[in-house]
Amino acid sequence: MTYQEEFAQRFGEAVSFDPQILRSYDHDLGEMPRPLLAMIRHRPDVVVVARSAGDTADALRLAGKHGLPVTPRAQASSGYGGAIPCRGGLVLDLCNCNRVLSVDAANATVDVEPGVVWEDLSRALAPHGLGNRVCPTSAPSSTVGGWFAMGGVGIGSLRYGTIRDNVLEIDVAGLDGAVRTFRGEAMEPYSQTCGSLGVVTRLRLACRKAETLLPLAARMPDAPAAVRFLELLEAWPDVYSASLQSAGYCAMRAAAEGHAPALASGFLVSFATTAKETATAEATRLAALCGGALLDDAVAEAEWNGRYYPMRIRKVGPSALVGEYLVPMQGFPAAHAALTAALKRDALGVEAFGVRGGGLAVLVYILDDARALLYPLRMAKAMLPMRLAARFGGRPYATGMWFSALAGEVFGPDKLALVRRLKAQLDARGLLNPGKLSGPGLPLAPFVSLSRCILAGTACLGPLAALLPSKPRRTS
């Protein structure tokens, strides 16, 4: 029996070989140049829409039996290529594995399937008096399993750290069709590795008490002052989440949303606290210590309400190049100064989220137009933030396919060695989401990593790309 027949027999209408449907699974939200995508076999041969852990396990078992590469996918809301096939095969769509399985209000935990969308989870927790500890700014669309697979940080990370810090237990399906449970340190290899060791079918998350949050916002004169303020906020036990935004990013949002910018220079720090009566007075005092000042309540409310919609800025792009990196807070001012000097011709905006332990997760937005002739060349600028941040203790945010050559910097040498050992044990044929740990090979030279070629190419083209303005004016 062929694999097509076996998949059709097991999954019925949940499996598809239709070329039109397969085409919709050959990309993610990233705007990558067509010549780059043409270098990999990014069109799957079959798609299975799983509806349960049993479906996932059976799909993996059949893929293992027939030697089919497997790419797990949910909303594909990341632009790192982690949900793009690079050897064809099976795409395992997990969007319908989206049930909240159980809520334990007494212990403040919830069990979910990987396709649960963060915003839906928040609504499901509310009647139990609970809320998400952390979630991405893409919470209206991105999934719990996908964010765990990428090792996400974002809203709530100032108090609660990364998504990995808030996952207590996972179930993982392997190519043998078995589902195994992992806890504690045993979960570590499955975080950030994009399903390269197995597909997560259940996660147990720690939750927080659903307290009413008071949004506040402050203007800081420069990056050092903004960082100092974030450090003071992290030490304030009542603060839940905090982010900073450059004046350029505020201008982008204002243009997209049709209102005046919140500030014309410096940085805006948006934060939320569980304190009520004393919060404003304490925030005013801390802001003054850093040479800044609290902004009015309307600005604070608008910034907090807009936290899930950063990509609205694409309305004025009409596209946006995005660079991401993690950096110690103390390294951010120098990294930002180097970036603004390197990209002084561009419309540049910066948004960063505080991470527990003195870190910042930084997103750099460069407005552009994907339809422009020179857009593929200017894309090299998206790598500059990460390269410059490395000088000041920074590292890449995630790997996926495009940055898999940087896995050692993202994971650290010990975790990378562990992941590679497990990969050899669990998936010697390299069927589980291939190309996400070492990068896919070039078509005519499979021993040459496409990811390394991208890194080398952007390093060479970056200085030239920086000379090509993406917008005629600068807004930061």
Side-chain angles (χ1 to χ4, degrees):
M1 186 180 294
T2 66
Y3 81 82
Q4 292 94 335
E5 292 169 332
E6 285 208 60
F7 273 93
Q9 184 181 78
R10 168 59 180 84
F11 293 104
E13 294 183 355
V15 66
S16 179
F17 306 96
D18 186 325
Q20 295 287 353
I21 292 176
L22 299 181
R23 188 174 294 115
S24 67
Y25 285 90
D26 69 2
H27 60 280
D28 60 15
L29 290 186
E31 295 179 296
M32 303 304 292
R34 291 185 181 275
L36 183 60
L37 285 173
M39 299 182 76
I40 59 174
R41 190 181 164 202
H42 58 105
R43 187 72 46 79
D45 300 297
V46 54
V47 170
V48 168
V49 179
R51 293 183 173 86
S52 65
D55 284 354
T56 299
D58 283 351
L60 288 172
R61 177 180 56 80
L62 290 176
K65 175 181 176 181
H66 292 282
L68 284 176
V70 182
T71 304
R73 171 193 173 106
Q75 295 288 352
S77 57
S78 169
Y80 283 81
I84 298 178
C86 68
R87 286 169 45 195
L90 166 69
V91 164
L92 184 58
D93 185 338
L94 301 170
C95 284
N96 284 352
C97 294
N98 58 3
R99 293 179 299 163
V100 176
L101 299 170
S102 63
V103 178
D104 185 343
N107 291 304
T109 64
V110 60
D111 284 26
V112 300
E113 291 182 322
V116 169
V117 171
W118 284 100
E119 192 171 67
D120 295 339
L121 176 57
S122 182
R123 283 194 288 264
L125 291 174
H128 302 275
L130 300 175
N132 295 320
R133 283 187 170 187
V134 294
C135 67
T137 55
S138 54
S141 60
S142 69
T143 61
V144 175
W147 212 42
F148 177 78
M150 291 295 293
V153 298
I155 298 165
S157 287
L158 185 72
R159 182 61 52 216
Y160 293 108
T162 71
I163 175 61
R164 168 65 185 86
D165 296 325
N166 296 281
V167 175
L168 306 176
E169 183 176 287
I170 56 174
D171 289 345
V172 181
L175 288 169
D176 59 358
V179 178
R180 299 172 178 85
T181 300
F182 299 94
R183 304 177 185 87
E185 289 301 313
M187 294 187 294
E188 185 61 32
Y190 299 93
S191 172
Q192 300 178 293
T193 50
C194 301
S196 294
L197 301 176
V199 177
V200 174
T201 61
R202 179 186 65 89
L203 305 94
R204 176 168 295 169
L205 306 176
C207 304
R208 65 179 180 87
K209 183 180 177 183
E211 299 173 287
T212 301
L213 296 170
L214 173 67
L216 296 167
R219 179 191 178 278
M220 293 292 127
D222 51 34
V227 164
R228 176 60 181 149
F229 189 52
L230 285 175
E231 290 174 332
L232 294 175
L233 292 179
E234 184 178 3
W236 184 7
D238 294 321
V239 173
Y240 162 61
S241 183
S243 66
L244 64 81
Q245 301 164 11
S246 71
Y249 179 75
C250 292
M252 290 177 183
R253 277 193 51 180
E257 297 170 3
H259 56 75
L263 46 79
S265 63
F267 285 82
L268 184 150
V269 178
S270 174
F271 57 105
T273 173
T274 57
K276 306 295 187 300
E277 299 176 359
T278 62
T280 301
E282 179 64 4
T284 300
R285 183 184 74 83
L286 295 178
L289 287 176
C290 302
L294 219 60
L295 297 171
D296 63 47
D297 292 345
V299 172
E301 190 76 25
E303 292 302 320
W304 183 248
N305 289 341
R307 65 194 183 279
Y308 293 138
Y309 307 103
M311 293 311 291
R312 283 178 177 172
I313 62 173
R314 294 176 65 174
K315 291 181 180 180
V316 293
S319 306
L321 299 171
V322 182
E324 294 184 78
Y325 62 89
L326 293 172
V327 68
M329 285 186 187
Q330 287 299 319
F332 173 74
H336 181 69
L339 179 65
T340 54
L343 298 177
K344 56 181 176 292
R345 294 174 173 84
D346 293 299
L348 178 69
V350 173
E351 181 184 32
F353 287 88
V355 183
R356 187 180 66 191
L360 273 179
V362 184
L363 295 96
V364 179
Y365 302 100
I366 307 166
L367 294 182
D368 208 314
D369 186 347
R371 300 166 298 183
L373 180 64
L374 293 178
Y375 177 78
L377 175 58
R378 292 199 297 261
M379 286 189 71
K381 286 188 284 193
M383 293 290 290
L384 280 176
M386 185 173 64
R387 294 185 187 281
L388 293 172
R391 302 177 188 173
F392 309 101
R395 68 164 178 83
Y397 175 74
T399 58
M401 184 192 304
W402 309 126
F403 301 149
S404 56
L406 298 174
E409 297 177 39
V410 176
F411 303 158
D414 292 341
K415 178 172 177 176
L416 180 60
L418 172 61
V419 168
R420 285 177 171 169
R421 287 198 302 271
L422 288 175
K423 183 72 171 176
Q425 295 170 14
L426 302 174
D427 182 24
R429 292 175 291 173
L431 299 179
L432 289 168
N433 213 1
K436 308 314 187 294
L437 292 180
S438 58
L442 297 180
L444 299 179
F447 52 87
V448 178
S449 166
L450 175 60
S451 177
R452 292 196 181 280
C453 291
I454 291 172
L455 295 175
T458 54
C460 295
L461 295 175
L464 174 60
L467 298 176
L468 302 172
S470 297
K471 291 291 268 188
R473 61 184 176 85
R474 182 182 174 213
T475 60
S476 69

